[in-house]
Amino acid sequence: LQRPAEDGFIRNRWYAAALARDIDRKPIQTWVLGEPVVLFRRQSGELAALRDRCAHRHAPLSLGTLIGDEIQCRYHGFQFDATGRCTKIPGEKAIPGTVRVQAVPVIEALGFVWIWPGEPSRVDESLLPDFPLTETPGFASYHVATLVEAPFELIVDNLMDLTHVHFVHRILGVGNLIHESEPMRTWEEGDRVLYSRDLKQARHEGTDSFVQIGGTFIPPSIVITSGVPKRDGSDEIQPGPVSQVLHCLTPKTARSTNYLAVKCWNLADRPHEVAAVHHQVDVTLAEDKEIIEAQYNNRCVAASLPEERLIRADRAAVMARRVNDRILRFERETKTESPGAPAVEAPVNDLSQ
Ligand code: FES
Ligand SMILES: [Fe+2]
């Protein structure tokens, strides 16, 4: 049996698995940390998540149909409730208790479906990211999802260093000389890594405020980026355009990532700008996907990779890697039960695989 390459993941965290609006009464398959999961809603609207593998002969339950609050396997019709208990085996009277599929802790928040691939006894709702702008009056939200054929770490790198913006992004970036702005400040707060940069050349017309961009890494694979108007000598946010993006980089496998994001900005009452922002987000995401996939592909074809030559701007990304290594070590040392997937020693964050 070949070991999956997915064992270098931190498991005891929430991972955004789907956009909440996409989950309804039709079972949907999604992948998290190399494992398929089936998502559906009960008649009450409450979410259910099960490992997407029938207890009988391992067909994906996501091919099946819902009967009330139960999912019927498409292959031989076994039925399972939302806790994974088998409730019906066609042609059999008795149902052995061993016939069950594993339920996965699931929660709906911020317009996403989050699942917890780790130990159910460690589920901790306080580990969901705090991101109040999706509920803040006067702010519009735009949720998007795309698949990136690259490990999530390369996307975290991309978001923790915005010096690429001018070069990669045709709408957002041109003239955004982030790489020439004031030096980036980086710091840690608990498990989080933060950076910020003052774009003093990007002044808001008719005011003395400038754009301050920033990022917060929430381990293992969430980044919040923001742009807010600031003024010299004041910490307060000044009047003007504010935007924040919550980027959730959920490993589908060790080599691919479901990139789910929501952008919030304070122009909700200006519909023509809403359409323009949606367009900008779509284009920006596609541009990041293109460069990151090309970068990853280039790393994969090399028989042996020369070391990266990092610069000052890479500091926050490197700090984020260290936080993840630390959490992963802790998780391995304190493991108390099997989360349902084999845990083996694997190289930490080895991106060459
Ligand atoms: S594989 Fe699901 S019922 Fe047989
Ligand atoms: Fe980008």
Side-chain angles (χ1 to χ4, degrees):
L1 197 75
Q2 232 196 337
R3 289 234 182 261
E6 275 76 29
D7 299 300
F9 291 129
I10 293 167
R11 306 193 75 88
N12 290 310
R13 287 293 188 282
W14 292 106
Y15 286 90
L19 301 184
R21 64 165 186 244
D22 291 342
I23 307 305
D24 203 348
R25 295 285 293 159
K26 182 179 151 17
I28 296 284
Q29 184 185 64
T30 183
W31 283 62
V32 178
L33 310 191
E35 283 273 347
V37 173
V38 56
L39 299 171
F40 60 91
R41 281 188 199 274
R42 301 179 214 194
Q43 286 159 313
S44 64
E46 222 184 318
L47 286 167
L50 301 172
R51 294 267 170 224
D52 194 12
R53 194 186 301 120
C54 180
H56 179 217
R57 305 298 295 268
H58 304 165
L61 290 172
S62 54
L63 294 179
T65 38
L66 293 181
I67 298 177
D69 282 349
E70 296 178 2
I71 187 163
Q72 181 189 54
C73 181
R74 170 93 192 278
Y75 205 175
H76 315 95
F78 283 38
Q79 264 171 242
F80 301 89
D81 70 14
T83 69
R85 193 173 62 92
C86 184
T87 54
K88 185 171 183 181
I89 301 178
E92 301 281 335
K93 285 210 177 67
I95 302 171
T98 48
V99 184
R100 57 177 304 123
V101 292
Q102 199 188 336
V104 184
V106 62
I107 199 169
E108 184 167 350
L110 306 172
F112 300 105
V113 174
W114 303 81
I115 76 153
W116 179 276
E119 300 173 48
S121 63
R122 291 195 176 190
V123 164
D124 182 353
E125 285 188 25
S126 75
L127 289 174
L128 283 167
D130 37 324
F131 193 73
L133 288 192
T134 53
E135 299 294 330
T136 303
F139 277 77
S141 300
Y142 181 51
H143 288 80
V144 281
T146 192
L147 176 68
V148 179
E149 297 287 355
F152 79 92
E153 289 93 335
L154 294 184
I155 312 174
V156 173
D157 289 351
N158 168 277
L159 294 166
M160 293 302 282
D161 162 24
L162 299 181
T163 56
H164 74 273
V165 166
H166 172 72
F167 303 96
V168 171
H169 298 306
R170 279 167 284 251
I171 300 179
L172 181 69
V174 177
N176 235 334
L177 302 177
I178 292 173
H179 53 289
E180 288 182 1
S181 72
E182 304 289 304
M184 181 159 96
R185 297 181 299 282
T186 53
W187 68 100
E188 287 186 50
E189 287 177 14
D191 276 346
R192 299 183 170 200
V193 176
L194 295 92
Y195 68 86
S196 96
R197 254 179 135 135
D198 295 340
L199 307 190
K200 297 218 169 160
Q201 79 281 15
R203 298 266 169 193
H204 290 114
E205 230 174 288
T207 73
D208 58 354
S209 67
F210 55 84
V211 181
Q212 184 180 73
I213 55 158
T216 302
F217 168 71
I218 304 172
S221 59
I222 291 174
V223 179
I224 295 174
T225 54
S226 64
V228 294
K230 285 287 182 76
R231 205 167 50 191
D232 277 321
S234 167
D235 268 350
E236 303 215 334
I237 295 179
Q238 303 298 312
V242 170
S243 75
Q244 268 198 348
V245 185
L246 175 72
H247 310 259
C248 308
L249 312 163
T250 300
K252 177 182 177 191
T253 66
R255 288 168 283 281
S256 57
T257 306
N258 280 318
Y259 190 150
L260 299 105
V262 54
K263 173 166 178 143
C264 297
W265 71 102
N266 59 350
L267 296 169
D269 53 343
R270 292 149 80 172
H272 59 291
E273 299 190 18
V274 169
V277 175
H278 290 192
H279 179 64
Q280 175 254 309
V281 171
D282 292 345
V283 170
T284 301
L285 197 57
E287 288 166 338
D288 281 320
K289 174 178 156 75
E290 183 187 8
I291 189 73
I292 293 168
E293 287 180 347
Q295 173 200 20
Y296 180 53
N297 200 36
N298 218 21
R299 293 163 73 115
C300 290
V301 296
S304 71
L305 272 181
E307 238 179 88
E308 293 175 306
R309 299 292 169 210
L310 300 181
I311 57 170
R312 274 180 310 163
D314 299 310
R315 192 176 139 78
V318 171
M319 287 163 75
R321 287 289 169 101
R322 292 210 183 111
V323 169
N324 274 359
D325 290 348
R326 195 168 72 213
I327 295 173
L328 192 58
R329 259 198 318 275
F330 173 80
E331 195 165 274
R332 285 178 174 164
E333 284 164 11
T334 59
K335 193 169 179 308
T336 56
E337 58 185 86
S338 164
V344 294
E345 288 302 316
V348 173
N349 296 335
D350 179 356
L351 299 184
S352 62
Q353 297 300 303

